[in-house]
Each structure stands twice: as C-alpha cells, then as structure tokens.
Amino acid sequence: MLLVSETLQDGRPFPVILWDASLSPASNDTHSSVKLTWGTYQQLLKQKCWQNGRVPKPESGCTEIHHHEWSKMALFDFLLQIYNRLDTNCCGFRPRKEDACVQDGLRPKCDDQGSVALAHIIQRKHDPRHLVFIDNKGFFDRSEDNLNFKLLEGIKEFPASAVSVLKSQHLRQKLLQSLFLDKVYWESQGGRQGIEKLIDVIEQRAKILITYINAHGAKVLPMNE
C-alpha cells in the first residue's frame, strides 16, 4: 500500500511515496480497501455496525469497520475541510476551479449522490475495524459560509474525547505541540506565525461544529473500541 505525502526540496514541495505493508490492498479507482458509495455509507451509519459489541446480522450489509470510526473521520474531515474521502465530487460546497472535482468534471454527478463513490477508505490488515487516514490535505482558506456540512450527514454521535478538547481552552496548545513535531510542515507555513493563523481557523470551525452538535441533538459518547 502506498502513502503519498509532501516534503520540501530546494524550498518547494514535492511528493514522497511511502510503502506501508500493514495496510489492506486498495482499489486503483477509489484508493480504498472497502468499496462504498454514498448511499451504502448512509445505510451503514443507520446499522451502527459493531456498536456496543453487537455482531451484525449477515443481511445488514455491514463491513468490518466499527461504527464509531465514521464519526471520528467526519469530525476530522470537517475541521480540516477534507472533501476527497466522503465528498469526492464536491457536492456539499462551492468548489474552486482548481479543485480536483472541477478539473475532472465530477460535480454534475451530484445529481445522483447515492451512487457517488467514497475514496481513501483504508484499513489495516491486522485491524480491519479501524480506519487509517491518508491523503489528509486540509483547506484553511474556505470561508465560513462555504463549509462542507455534507461531511457530517448521517453522523448522530461524536467522540467524547475529541469534543472535550474542542470545548476546552487547550485546543491551541495541543495543536501547537503536535504541529511543532513536524518541522518541515512548521517551516513551510512560515513558522509560529503561520501556524497560529491555521489554528485560528480550526478554533473557529471547532466552535461551529459544537454549535452543530448541539443544534442537531447529536450524542457525545466514549469511543475507545
């Protein structure tokens, strides 16, 4: 399995390909180890596969992925506004002309959203119940009136540990500590000043997400399975 990321060479970003043999084989078209459309994904959310230790019935259509994994992914993707997993055709926001969905002419397929394929849904061979997040390119310049709430569609529960951090006064500190470990990314954003601007965006999105959770009566649950 290939993981693609970016690093710097002569001050410019270029792709780096890493091999991770622990990841399950992925299809070439969606780069996923589990093939799902938006419609089947929404059905899985309703089934709550494997929640509370319940073994799914054969007719449920459940995959090996634990129900809570989708909540974690949706929260992560919303904060960074990553659309290339759950909304590959950019159906939930106004894309820019340089976005892949526009370049590839995919947006007209939003008329049949149920058949739109999810991408980058990756598991590990030895731990298929958990998801591995790859290709996590975030978008920090997306305005608040153009956030992609489609990423949260069908999600009725959110992880308590993550929500607790989002509500606390420690989100900025934790992000600074985490991002400082990636020296290449830290410097590529202009150091502390540039990183602080990115965190400003994430903090504001966190407030919007908390408002969304409260407005929709979503549950906040421990998700340690």
Side-chain angles (χ1 to χ4, degrees):
M1 176 64 202
L2 296 178
L3 297 180
V4 181
S5 59
E6 287 188 349
T7 187
L8 296 179
Q9 184 179 49
D10 299 328
R12 294 175 297 178
F14 73 101
V16 175
I17 299 177
L18 305 174
W19 178 265
D20 188 340
S22 72
L23 301 185
S24 298
S27 66
N28 290 327
D29 52 345
T30 63
H31 304 289
S32 298
S33 52
V34 177
K35 286 191 174 183
L36 293 173
T37 64
W38 176 259
T40 54
Y41 164 64
Q42 290 297 311
Q43 289 301 315
L44 289 182
L45 293 180
K46 294 176 181 178
Q47 291 290 339
K48 299 186 177 182
C49 306
W50 305 101
Q51 191 171 15
N52 299 324
R54 294 193 303 268
V55 178
K57 296 179 180 179
E59 63 271 20
S60 67
C62 284
T63 67
E64 295 174 297
I65 299 169
H66 194 287
H67 176 65
H68 287 167
E69 292 296 289
W70 303 116
S71 299
K72 298 173 185 177
M73 176 178 283
L75 183 148
F76 180 78
D77 284 3
F78 180 81
L79 291 177
L80 297 184
Q81 285 297 291
I82 299 169
Y83 67 85
N84 61 2
R85 265 192 284 264
L86 296 174
D87 190 17
T88 56
N89 291 6
C90 306
C91 302
F93 67 104
R94 300 185 302 276
R96 303 167 298 182
K97 61 181 181 181
E98 60 266 30
D99 285 322
C101 56
V102 176
Q103 294 289 326
D104 297 338
L106 298 176
R107 200 139 193 264
K109 295 183 180 180
C110 291
D111 293 338
D112 184 17
Q113 293 191 33
S115 64
V116 174
L118 306 191
H120 303 141
I121 307 301
I122 299 290
Q123 307 154 286
R124 293 196 186 277
K125 295 175 183 177
H126 66 278
D127 186 17
R129 290 197 181 186
H130 293 89
L131 292 170
V132 179
F133 298 173
I134 68 168
D135 200 6
N136 302 313
K137 181 182 179 182
F139 292 86
F140 297 93
D141 58 350
R142 191 165 297 153
S143 61
E144 292 180 17
D145 66 349
N146 193 30
L147 294 180
N148 191 351
F149 284 92
K150 182 177 174 63
L151 302 174
L152 305 176
E153 191 171 324
I155 302 295
K156 306 298 183 184
E157 306 99 7
F158 289 87
S161 58
V163 172
S164 176
V165 172
L166 297 183
K167 287 182 174 180
S168 74
Q169 302 299 314
H170 305 299
L171 176 60
R172 179 173 294 269
Q173 178 185 355
K174 289 181 179 294
L175 287 173
L176 281 171
Q177 291 172 343
S178 176
L179 292 170
F180 185 70
L181 297 176
D182 188 339
K183 302 295 186 182
V184 172
Y185 186 74
W186 183 277
E187 294 302 326
S188 74
Q189 299 303 311
R192 175 72 177 256
Q193 186 175 3
I195 293 294
E196 291 274 11
K197 291 180 180 179
L198 298 185
I199 295 177
D200 288 342
V201 175
I202 293 177
E203 282 190 328
Q204 186 57 32
R205 290 177 183 173
K207 293 177 181 178
I208 292 171
L209 178 58
I210 296 302
T211 299
Y212 176 94
I213 291 172
N214 293 335
H216 288 77
K219 296 179 180 179
V220 177
L221 305 173
M223 295 186 178
N224 300 319
E225 293 91 340

